[in-house]
């Protein structure tokens, strides 16, 4: 038996599943019978897909060449077919594909058919490659035959004794229909008469049908045979149904078992994963424990080391404490002795305390005196006049010196504040000032008179120093000066910060600066980084106190900071040139210092120069500038005149 077959030989159960009742499967090839009856019963024996075969001898066999077929192809193999019986070569050929056989001209009556098979193509299987049905006279005689799965490859198999009746037309048709793949057949043998004995399971020996009375084998007609077949069929069908139900039950059980196995497997996987995690955690914890143990060992050894040190240090301290205590008691003893030896010690302490009290008293009186001195000093300044006018005559420049050989000013009584101006050659007119500076007087001399004013600002007085005069007469030089020859502005500020520094123990001054210019009757903030949203205006807060809302106020700490700010403002100032001064200021330039704690202001003003329009010969924008300058200077003159004469109305707002 091949690898696809069973070793148990014939299997009635399998036979009944595959072939009709009465027929059987034989797992070997054709064996010729010695009986002449048997030979005579063979009506037709064709070698499907092969040639005629003839074997002489005591069992003569005659197999016809392949005929009576319709359709199909021929298959052949040179390989030997095992268990081929007396005619192994018929199993080496086969008809294959879509075909049928029709045997004609048979006398009407009962016949039995033997079919010969061998799997000669799918020699390596597997099972189920070729499964087919066989219909005889249109009735299914063989069901789902898979030769390979019964006997394997290149092995003979027979389905024997399939009962069939030929009608009046004398035709027996054998039809092959594939279920999987193409059907094949190697030989077909038609024998006269119904099969001799039907192998059925109801016989007493379980193999043959016997008479119930005498137990002799019973020979059945074709009709009886058919009835018996149907009864067997019904029986087997019942068994099949039961088996199917059992099979379904087993399948369900298997499925449930499979499901629970899958669930168990999943659970097992989960547990395994958890175990892995636990193992890893354990491992990590173990490592951490090892590290901690190491750390602990280090800490405890350090602790032990430190403890020893501390114990030694405490011992040392205790020893020192003892020494100090004994020293202390010795010193106390000595101090007592000493105190006892100086009888006037208490009187000395009292005297020192009284001196400290006197010192505080004197300090208070000194401060009061300082205050009084400041007041008297400012009263002295006021007594000199609230408005003080100094006149400075600059030296002639080269051009002037060459064009005017004769000077018209006379400084004979300059030290008394008199300035003589020669009119028409001989007439001299004397002008009175608080002081007159000659061309020989330098910036230091000018500042000498301006400096006391700076002290007054820090004492809470409002002060304004301004330079007024014709264009080109030296106003900017006097106020600003140069880096090598600083003017009033810088020197005043320098002194102011010096005094503030000197007084810082008793008072702290917060000083802020703003720089403005009045150009063409308009106020401009020279420290503003962008033009203001609103036009700047001078507001009079109270009599003589003015304020420009929105102007930039910069806090300053020292004179360098102020100087940088003044430079920024100076660079932004409107300047131009006229035929009198090549670098003429075209605006009034105002620096305001605000002292926070005293709420006093210092104004340092460099006015634009007044011009005689005919002399400077200006036009267009320059003419407009000059007219604005002259107008505002004339208004200033009116204000000063009103202030000097203590007029009831001071025309502060005449200009603008
Ligand atoms: N005391 C002085 N000693 C030497 N040179 C001076 C003196 N005063 C002014 N000058 C020079 O005279 C020129 C004009 O001076 P300055 O620009 O200060 O005049 P100003 O009155 O400010 O003129 P403006 O009104 O047109 O601005 C400058 O070159 C300046 O250096």
């Amino acid at each position: 038996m091949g690898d696809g077959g069973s070793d148990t030989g014939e299997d009635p159960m399998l036979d009944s599943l595959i072939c009709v009742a009465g027929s059987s499967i034989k797992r070997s090839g054709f064996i010729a019978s010695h009986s002449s009856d048997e030979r005579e019963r063979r009506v037709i024996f064709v070698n499907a897909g092969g040639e005629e075969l003839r074997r002489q001898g005591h069992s003569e066999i005659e197999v016809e060449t392949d005929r009576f077929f319709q359709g199909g192809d021929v298959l052949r193999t040179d390989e030997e077919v095992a268990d081929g019986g007396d005619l192994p070569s018929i199993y080496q050929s086969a008809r294959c594909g879509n075909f049928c056989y029709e045997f004609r001209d048979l006398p009407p009556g009962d016949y039995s058919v033997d079919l010969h098979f061998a799997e000669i193509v799918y020699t390596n299987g597997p099972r189920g490659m070729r499964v087919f049905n066989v219909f005889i006279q249109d009735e299914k005689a063989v069901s789902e035959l898979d030769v390979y799965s019964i006997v394997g490859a290149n092995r003979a198999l027979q389905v024997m004794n399939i009962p069939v009746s030929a009608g009046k037309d004398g035709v027996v048709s054998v039809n092959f229909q594939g279920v999987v793949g193409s059907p094949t057949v190697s030989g077909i043998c038609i024998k006269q008469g119904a099969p001799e004995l039907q192998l059925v399971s109801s016989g007493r020996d379980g193999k043959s049908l016997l008479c119930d009375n005498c137990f002799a084998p019973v020979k059945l007609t074709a009709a009886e045979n058919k009835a018996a077949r149907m009864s067997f069929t019904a029986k087997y069908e019942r068994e099949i149904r039961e088996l199917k139900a059992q099979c379904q039950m087993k399948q369900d059980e298997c499925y449930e078992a499979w499901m629970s196995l899958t669930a168990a497997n999943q659970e097992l996987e989960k547990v395994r994963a958890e175990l892995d995690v636990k193992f890893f955690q354990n491992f990590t914890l173990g490592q951490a424990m090892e590290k901690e143990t190491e750390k602990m060992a280090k800490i405890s050894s350090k602790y032990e080391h430190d403890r020893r040190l501390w114990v030694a240090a405490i011992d040392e301290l205790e020893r020192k404490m003892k020494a100090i205590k004994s020293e202390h008691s010795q010193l106390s003893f000595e101090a007592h002795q000493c105190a006892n030896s100086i009888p006037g010690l208490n009187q000395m302490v009292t005297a020192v305390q009284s001196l400290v009290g006197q010192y505080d008293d004197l300090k208070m009186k000194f401060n009061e005196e300082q205050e009084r001195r400041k007041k008297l000093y400012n009263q002295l300044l006021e007594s000199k006049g609230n408005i003080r006018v100094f006149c400075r005559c600059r030296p002639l420049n080269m051009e002037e010196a060459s064009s005017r050989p004769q000077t018209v000013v006379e400084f004979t009584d300059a030290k008394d504040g008199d300035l003589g101006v020669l009119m028409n050659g001989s007439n001299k007119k004397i002008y009175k000032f608080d002081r007159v500076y000659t061309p020989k007087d330098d910036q230091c001399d000018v500042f000498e008179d301006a400096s006391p004013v700076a002290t007054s600002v820090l004492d809470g007085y409002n002060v304004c120093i301004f330079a007024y005069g014709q264009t080109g007469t030296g106003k900017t030089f006097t106020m600003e000066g140069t880096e090598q020859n600083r003017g009033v502005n810088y020197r005043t500020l320098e002194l102011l910060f010096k005094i503030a520094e000197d007084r810082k123990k008793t008072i702290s001054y917060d000083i802020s600066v703003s720089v403005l210019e009045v150009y063409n009757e308009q106020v401009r903030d020279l420290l503003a980084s962008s033009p203001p949203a609103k036009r700047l205006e001078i507001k009079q807060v109270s009599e003589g106190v003015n304020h420009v809302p929105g102007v930039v106020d910069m806090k300053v700490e020292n004179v360098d900071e102020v100087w940088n700010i003044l430079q920024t403002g100076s660079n932004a100032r409107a300047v131009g040139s006229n035929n009198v001064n090549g670098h003429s200021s075209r605006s009034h330039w105002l620096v305001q210092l605000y002292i926070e704690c005293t709420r006093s202001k210092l104004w340092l003003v460099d006015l634009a120069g007044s011009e005689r329009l005919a002399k400077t010969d200006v036009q267009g924008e320059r003419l407009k500038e000059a007219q604005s300058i002259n107008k505002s200077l004339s208004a200033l003159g009116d204000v000063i005149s009103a202030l000097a004469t203590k007029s009831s109305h001071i025309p502060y707002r005449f200009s603008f």
Side-chain angles (χ1 to χ4, degrees), residues 342-376:
I342 306 171
L345 185 66
N346 285 340
Q347 287 95 318
M348 275 171 71
V349 170
T350 318
V352 167
Q353 279 170 349
S354 133
L355 279 174
V356 169
Q358 279 174 19
Y359 168 77
D360 287 342
D361 200 31
L362 282 172
K363 197 174 159 190
M364 203 174 72
K365 279 181 183 159
F366 172 76
N367 284 342
E368 280 171 8
E369 279 309 309
Q370 275 289 90
E371 277 302 307
R372 213 171 294 143
R373 189 197 64 77
K374 269 192 229 167
K375 235 177 184 170
L376 286 171

mmCIF file of all heavy atoms in Angstrom, residues 342-376:
data_model
loop_
_atom_site.group_PDB
_atom_site.id
_atom_site.type_symbol
_atom_site.label_atom_id
_atom_site.label_comp_id
_atom_site.label_asym_id
_atom_site.label_seq_id
_atom_site.Cartn_x
_atom_site.Cartn_y
_atom_site.Cartn_z
ATOM 1 N N ILE A 342 41.838 102.357 90.755
ATOM 2 C CA ILE A 342 41.591 103.688 90.145
ATOM 3 C C ILE A 342 40.351 104.285 90.817
ATOM 4 O O ILE A 342 39.214 103.947 90.437
ATOM 5 C CB ILE A 342 41.358 103.587 88.620
ATOM 6 C CG1 ILE A 342 42.530 102.844 87.954
ATOM 7 C CG2 ILE A 342 41.172 104.962 87.990
ATOM 8 C CD1 ILE A 342 42.294 102.498 86.519
ATOM 9 N N PRO A 343 40.528 105.221 91.707
ATOM 10 C CA PRO A 343 39.363 105.721 92.448
ATOM 11 C C PRO A 343 38.463 106.619 91.579
ATOM 12 O O PRO A 343 37.249 106.607 91.683
ATOM 13 C CB PRO A 343 39.982 106.515 93.606
ATOM 14 C CG PRO A 343 41.402 106.735 93.243
ATOM 15 C CD PRO A 343 41.807 105.759 92.209
ATOM 16 N N GLY A 344 39.051 107.363 90.569
ATOM 17 C CA GLY A 344 38.237 108.318 89.810
ATOM 18 C C GLY A 344 37.670 107.795 88.521
ATOM 19 O O GLY A 344 37.293 108.576 87.645
ATOM 20 N N LEU A 345 37.611 106.441 88.350
ATOM 21 C CA LEU A 345 37.148 105.873 87.059
ATOM 22 C C LEU A 345 35.698 106.261 86.730
ATOM 23 O O LEU A 345 35.397 106.689 85.604
ATOM 24 C CB LEU A 345 37.288 104.343 87.101
ATOM 25 C CG LEU A 345 36.953 103.642 85.798
ATOM 26 C CD1 LEU A 345 37.949 104.009 84.711
ATOM 27 C CD2 LEU A 345 36.898 102.130 85.973
ATOM 28 N N ASN A 346 34.838 106.181 87.679
ATOM 29 C CA ASN A 346 33.424 106.504 87.441
ATOM 30 C C ASN A 346 33.245 107.967 87.030
ATOM 31 O O ASN A 346 32.465 108.283 86.126
ATOM 32 C CB ASN A 346 32.581 106.219 88.685
ATOM 33 C CG ASN A 346 32.382 104.727 88.841
ATOM 34 O OD1 ASN A 346 32.534 103.978 87.890
ATOM 35 N ND2 ASN A 346 32.105 104.300 90.066
ATOM 36 N N GLN A 347 34.039 108.847 87.687
ATOM 37 C CA GLN A 347 33.940 110.268 87.339
ATOM 38 C C GLN A 347 34.374 110.483 85.893
ATOM 39 O O GLN A 347 33.773 111.261 85.146
ATOM 40 C CB GLN A 347 34.837 111.146 88.239
ATOM 41 C CG GLN A 347 34.316 111.298 89.652
ATOM 42 C CD GLN A 347 34.941 110.273 90.588
ATOM 43 O OE1 GLN A 347 35.081 109.100 90.224
ATOM 44 N NE2 GLN A 347 35.310 110.699 91.792
ATOM 45 N N MET A 348 35.438 109.684 85.459
ATOM 46 C CA MET A 348 35.930 109.820 84.068
ATOM 47 C C MET A 348 34.857 109.425 83.060
ATOM 48 O O MET A 348 34.628 110.092 82.061
ATOM 49 C CB MET A 348 37.177 108.949 83.871
ATOM 50 C CG MET A 348 38.448 109.659 84.307
ATOM 51 S SD MET A 348 39.826 108.529 84.320
ATOM 52 C CE MET A 348 40.066 108.269 82.616
ATOM 53 N N VAL A 349 34.185 108.330 83.348
ATOM 54 C CA VAL A 349 33.112 107.864 82.431
ATOM 55 C C VAL A 349 32.032 108.910 82.322
ATOM 56 O O VAL A 349 31.556 109.252 81.213
ATOM 57 C CB VAL A 349 32.532 106.505 82.941
ATOM 58 C CG1 VAL A 349 31.272 106.124 82.172
ATOM 59 C CG2 VAL A 349 33.571 105.413 82.837
ATOM 60 N N THR A 350 31.644 109.501 83.443
ATOM 61 C CA THR A 350 30.602 110.530 83.441
ATOM 62 C C THR A 350 31.049 111.720 82.596
ATOM 63 O O THR A 350 30.268 112.287 81.820
ATOM 64 C CB THR A 350 30.318 111.001 84.898
ATOM 65 O OG1 THR A 350 30.298 109.866 85.742
ATOM 66 C CG2 THR A 350 29.017 111.763 85.002
ATOM 67 N N ALA A 351 32.352 112.091 82.731
ATOM 68 C CA ALA A 351 32.874 113.237 81.979
ATOM 69 C C ALA A 351 32.828 112.984 80.490
ATOM 70 O O ALA A 351 32.431 113.848 79.706
ATOM 71 C CB ALA A 351 34.322 113.512 82.418
ATOM 72 N N VAL A 352 33.206 111.730 80.075
ATOM 73 C CA VAL A 352 33.178 111.398 78.630
ATOM 74 C C VAL A 352 31.744 111.483 78.104
ATOM 75 O O VAL A 352 31.489 112.042 77.027
ATOM 76 C CB VAL A 352 33.773 109.982 78.387
ATOM 77 C CG1 VAL A 352 33.474 109.505 76.972
ATOM 78 C CG2 VAL A 352 35.263 109.984 78.647
ATOM 79 N N GLN A 353 30.787 110.957 78.875
ATOM 80 C CA GLN A 353 29.374 110.994 78.443
ATOM 81 C C GLN A 353 28.912 112.447 78.286
ATOM 82 O O GLN A 353 28.204 112.783 77.327
ATOM 83 C CB GLN A 353 28.501 110.280 79.471
ATOM 84 C CG GLN A 353 28.548 108.766 79.277
ATOM 85 C CD GLN A 353 27.891 108.035 80.417
ATOM 86 O OE1 GLN A 353 27.561 108.620 81.464
ATOM 87 N NE2 GLN A 353 27.734 106.738 80.236
ATOM 88 N N SER A 354 29.344 113.296 79.183
ATOM 89 C CA SER A 354 28.923 114.699 79.101
ATOM 90 C C SER A 354 29.540 115.356 77.867
ATOM 91 O O SER A 354 28.899 116.144 77.185
ATOM 92 C CB SER A 354 29.308 115.394 80.412
ATOM 93 O OG SER A 354 29.940 116.598 80.173
ATOM 94 N N LEU A 355 30.800 114.950 77.535
ATOM 95 C CA LEU A 355 31.449 115.488 76.321
ATOM 96 C C LEU A 355 30.695 115.080 75.064
ATOM 97 O O LEU A 355 30.522 115.878 74.139
ATOM 98 C CB LEU A 355 32.898 114.982 76.237
ATOM 99 C CG LEU A 355 33.917 115.748 77.080
ATOM 100 C CD1 LEU A 355 35.268 115.075 77.035
ATOM 101 C CD2 LEU A 355 34.056 117.193 76.577
ATOM 102 N N VAL A 356 30.260 113.820 75.011
ATOM 103 C CA VAL A 356 29.489 113.336 73.839
ATOM 104 C C VAL A 356 28.222 114.156 73.692
ATOM 105 O O VAL A 356 27.841 114.592 72.590
ATOM 106 C CB VAL A 356 29.168 111.821 73.980
ATOM 107 C CG1 VAL A 356 28.160 111.375 72.927
ATOM 108 C CG2 VAL A 356 30.448 111.006 73.869
ATOM 109 N N GLY A 357 27.552 114.435 74.793
ATOM 110 C CA GLY A 357 26.325 115.237 74.762
ATOM 111 C C GLY A 357 26.621 116.627 74.234
ATOM 112 O O GLY A 357 25.878 117.157 73.400
ATOM 113 N N GLN A 358 27.724 117.202 74.686
ATOM 114 C CA GLN A 358 28.104 118.545 74.219
ATOM 115 C C GLN A 358 28.380 118.534 72.712
ATOM 116 O O GLN A 358 27.991 119.445 71.978
ATOM 117 C CB GLN A 358 29.364 119.012 74.962
ATOM 118 C CG GLN A 358 29.072 119.579 76.340
ATOM 119 C CD GLN A 358 30.363 119.902 77.088
ATOM 120 O OE1 GLN A 358 31.422 120.041 76.477
ATOM 121 N NE2 GLN A 358 30.268 120.028 78.399
ATOM 122 N N TYR A 359 29.020 117.411 72.278
ATOM 123 C CA TYR A 359 29.342 117.299 70.837
ATOM 124 C C TYR A 359 28.056 117.304 69.994
ATOM 125 O O TYR A 359 27.955 118.034 69.005
ATOM 126 C CB TYR A 359 30.135 116.004 70.592
ATOM 127 C CG TYR A 359 30.250 115.654 69.132
ATOM 128 C CD1 TYR A 359 31.157 116.346 68.317
ATOM 129 C CD2 TYR A 359 29.447 114.676 68.558
ATOM 130 C CE1 TYR A 359 31.252 116.062 66.979
ATOM 131 C CE2 TYR A 359 29.522 114.384 67.218
ATOM 132 C CZ TYR A 359 30.438 115.078 66.422
ATOM 133 O OH TYR A 359 30.524 114.785 65.097
ATOM 134 N N ASP A 360 27.084 116.528 70.422
ATOM 135 C CA ASP A 360 25.797 116.468 69.684
ATOM 136 C C ASP A 360 25.139 117.848 69.671
ATOM 137 O O ASP A 360 24.590 118.289 68.642
ATOM 138 C CB ASP A 360 24.853 115.459 70.341
ATOM 139 C CG ASP A 360 25.307 114.034 70.068
ATOM 140 O OD1 ASP A 360 26.119 113.841 69.123
ATOM 141 O OD2 ASP A 360 24.882 113.114 70.802
ATOM 142 N N ASP A 361 25.198 118.540 70.790
ATOM 143 C CA ASP A 361 24.604 119.859 70.916
ATOM 144 C C ASP A 361 25.260 120.824 69.937
ATOM 145 O O ASP A 361 24.588 121.548 69.194
ATOM 146 C CB ASP A 361 24.820 120.315 72.373
ATOM 147 C CG ASP A 361 23.844 121.410 72.732
ATOM 148 O OD1 ASP A 361 22.733 121.362 72.161
ATOM 149 O OD2 ASP A 361 24.199 122.315 73.531
ATOM 150 N N LEU A 362 26.612 120.735 69.910
ATOM 151 C CA LEU A 362 27.363 121.630 69.019
ATOM 152 C C LEU A 362 27.069 121.332 67.557
ATOM 153 O O LEU A 362 26.943 122.236 66.733
ATOM 154 C CB LEU A 362 28.879 121.463 69.278
ATOM 155 C CG LEU A 362 29.395 122.177 70.529
ATOM 156 C CD1 LEU A 362 30.845 121.795 70.788
ATOM 157 C CD2 LEU A 362 29.301 123.705 70.366
ATOM 158 N N LYS A 363 26.926 120.031 67.246
ATOM 159 C CA LYS A 363 26.626 119.630 65.857
ATOM 160 C C LYS A 363 25.293 120.215 65.404
ATOM 161 O O LYS A 363 25.165 120.744 64.290
ATOM 162 C CB LYS A 363 26.571 118.092 65.787
ATOM 163 C CG LYS A 363 26.676 117.549 64.391
ATOM 164 C CD LYS A 363 26.749 116.042 64.457
ATOM 165 C CE LYS A 363 26.345 115.432 63.166
ATOM 166 N NZ LYS A 363 26.174 114.011 63.278
ATOM 167 N N MET A 364 24.317 120.151 66.305
ATOM 168 C CA MET A 364 22.985 120.678 65.972
ATOM 169 C C MET A 364 23.078 122.184 65.727
ATOM 170 O O MET A 364 22.536 122.711 64.757
ATOM 171 C CB MET A 364 22.049 120.395 67.135
ATOM 172 C CG MET A 364 20.591 120.369 66.737
ATOM 173 S SD MET A 364 19.602 119.852 68.132
ATOM 174 C CE MET A 364 19.704 121.296 69.157
ATOM 175 N N LYS A 365 23.845 122.839 66.611
ATOM 176 C CA LYS A 365 23.976 124.302 66.486
ATOM 177 C C LYS A 365 24.699 124.655 65.184
ATOM 178 O O LYS A 365 24.338 125.614 64.489
ATOM 179 C CB LYS A 365 24.767 124.865 67.675
ATOM 180 C CG LYS A 365 23.907 125.027 68.909
ATOM 181 C CD LYS A 365 24.702 125.610 70.061
ATOM 182 C CE LYS A 365 23.827 125.682 71.296
ATOM 183 N NZ LYS A 365 24.603 125.749 72.517
ATOM 184 N N PHE A 366 25.698 123.813 64.821
ATOM 185 C CA PHE A 366 26.445 124.032 63.577
ATOM 186 C C PHE A 366 25.508 123.940 62.370
ATOM 187 O O PHE A 366 25.540 124.801 61.487
ATOM 188 C CB PHE A 366 27.559 122.981 63.468
ATOM 189 C CG PHE A 366 28.264 123.012 62.143
ATOM 190 C CD1 PHE A 366 29.203 124.020 61.869
ATOM 191 C CD2 PHE A 366 27.997 122.072 61.151
ATOM 192 C CE1 PHE A 366 29.848 124.049 60.649
ATOM 193 C CE2 PHE A 366 28.628 122.108 59.939
ATOM 194 C CZ PHE A 366 29.573 123.117 59.693
ATOM 195 N N ASN A 367 24.664 122.952 62.379
ATOM 196 C CA ASN A 367 23.696 122.785 61.273
ATOM 197 C C ASN A 367 22.769 123.986 61.181
ATOM 198 O O ASN A 367 22.452 124.487 60.095
ATOM 199 C CB ASN A 367 22.879 121.511 61.447
ATOM 200 C CG ASN A 367 23.694 120.276 61.094
ATOM 201 O OD1 ASN A 367 24.733 120.391 60.420
ATOM 202 N ND2 ASN A 367 23.281 119.121 61.566
ATOM 203 N N GLU A 368 22.315 124.435 62.330
ATOM 204 C CA GLU A 368 21.424 125.611 62.352
ATOM 205 C C GLU A 368 22.162 126.830 61.785
ATOM 206 O O GLU A 368 21.610 127.605 60.998
ATOM 207 C CB GLU A 368 20.988 125.897 63.787
ATOM 208 C CG GLU A 368 19.850 124.982 64.236
ATOM 209 C CD GLU A 368 19.549 125.117 65.734
ATOM 210 O OE1 GLU A 368 20.110 126.035 66.393
ATOM 211 O OE2 GLU A 368 18.776 124.297 66.233
ATOM 212 N N GLU A 369 23.438 126.941 62.171
ATOM 213 C CA GLU A 369 24.251 128.056 61.685
ATOM 214 C C GLU A 369 24.408 127.972 60.177
ATOM 215 O O GLU A 369 24.346 128.985 59.482
ATOM 216 C CB GLU A 369 25.646 128.024 62.347
ATOM 217 C CG GLU A 369 25.706 128.610 63.735
ATOM 218 C CD GLU A 369 25.088 130.000 63.816
ATOM 219 O OE1 GLU A 369 25.431 130.877 63.011
ATOM 220 O OE2 GLU A 369 24.200 130.213 64.684
ATOM 221 N N GLN A 370 24.616 126.733 59.693
ATOM 222 C CA GLN A 370 24.761 126.499 58.238
ATOM 223 C C GLN A 370 23.525 127.019 57.525
ATOM 224 O O GLN A 370 23.635 127.705 56.496
ATOM 225 C CB GLN A 370 24.888 124.991 57.959
ATOM 226 C CG GLN A 370 26.280 124.434 58.080
ATOM 227 C CD GLN A 370 27.183 124.889 56.937
ATOM 228 O OE1 GLN A 370 27.835 125.931 57.064
ATOM 229 N NE2 GLN A 370 27.240 124.157 55.853
ATOM 230 N N GLU A 371 22.345 126.634 58.033
ATOM 231 C CA GLU A 371 21.079 127.063 57.448
ATOM 232 C C GLU A 371 21.007 128.577 57.411
ATOM 233 O O GLU A 371 20.650 129.176 56.393
ATOM 234 C CB GLU A 371 19.896 126.517 58.270
ATOM 235 C CG GLU A 371 19.512 125.092 57.933
ATOM 236 C CD GLU A 371 19.152 124.943 56.458
ATOM 237 O OE1 GLU A 371 18.287 125.698 55.962
ATOM 238 O OE2 GLU A 371 19.780 124.086 55.778
ATOM 239 N N ARG A 372 21.356 129.168 58.566
ATOM 240 C CA ARG A 372 21.290 130.637 58.664
ATOM 241 C C ARG A 372 22.258 131.260 57.655
ATOM 242 O O ARG A 372 21.943 132.219 56.995
ATOM 243 C CB ARG A 372 21.653 131.053 60.098
ATOM 244 C CG ARG A 372 20.886 132.297 60.522
ATOM 245 C CD ARG A 372 21.053 132.593 61.998
ATOM 246 N NE ARG A 372 20.458 131.592 62.839
ATOM 247 C CZ ARG A 372 20.971 131.172 63.988
ATOM 248 N NH1 ARG A 372 22.111 131.634 64.414
ATOM 249 N NH2 ARG A 372 20.343 130.276 64.722
ATOM 250 N N ARG A 373 23.469 130.645 57.529
ATOM 251 C CA ARG A 373 24.479 131.168 56.605
ATOM 252 C C ARG A 373 23.952 131.152 55.165
ATOM 253 O O ARG A 373 24.077 132.123 54.443
ATOM 254 C CB ARG A 373 25.754 130.310 56.686
ATOM 255 C CG ARG A 373 26.925 130.889 55.928
ATOM 256 C CD ARG A 373 27.986 129.861 55.683
ATOM 257 N NE ARG A 373 27.504 128.784 54.815
ATOM 258 C CZ ARG A 373 27.361 128.894 53.494
ATOM 259 N NH1 ARG A 373 27.674 130.015 52.878
ATOM 260 N NH2 ARG A 373 26.909 127.881 52.796
ATOM 261 N N LYS A 374 23.296 130.019 54.805
ATOM 262 C CA LYS A 374 22.740 129.893 53.442
ATOM 263 C C LYS A 374 21.726 130.995 53.177
ATOM 264 O O LYS A 374 21.739 131.637 52.140
ATOM 265 C CB LYS A 374 22.016 128.536 53.316
ATOM 266 C CG LYS A 374 22.888 127.431 52.828
ATOM 267 C CD LYS A 374 21.997 126.254 52.467
ATOM 268 C CE LYS A 374 22.516 124.989 53.074
ATOM 269 N NZ LYS A 374 21.571 123.904 53.016
ATOM 270 N N LYS A 375 20.877 131.203 54.180
ATOM 271 C CA LYS A 375 19.828 132.207 54.036
ATOM 272 C C LYS A 375 20.465 133.583 53.822
ATOM 273 O O LYS A 375 20.095 134.325 52.889
ATOM 274 C CB LYS A 375 18.984 132.224 55.303
ATOM 275 C CG LYS A 375 17.509 132.034 55.039
ATOM 276 C CD LYS A 375 16.782 131.982 56.345
ATOM 277 C CE LYS A 375 15.330 131.683 56.079
ATOM 278 N NZ LYS A 375 14.627 131.395 57.305
ATOM 279 N N LEU A 376 21.453 133.892 54.696
ATOM 280 C CA LEU A 376 22.111 135.206 54.612
ATOM 281 C C LEU A 376 22.825 135.374 53.278
ATOM 282 O O LEU A 376 22.780 136.429 52.648
ATOM 283 C CB LEU A 376 23.140 135.343 55.753
ATOM 284 C CG LEU A 376 22.516 135.575 57.140
ATOM 285 C CD1 LEU A 376 23.570 135.479 58.223
ATOM 286 C CD2 LEU A 376 21.823 136.944 57.197
#
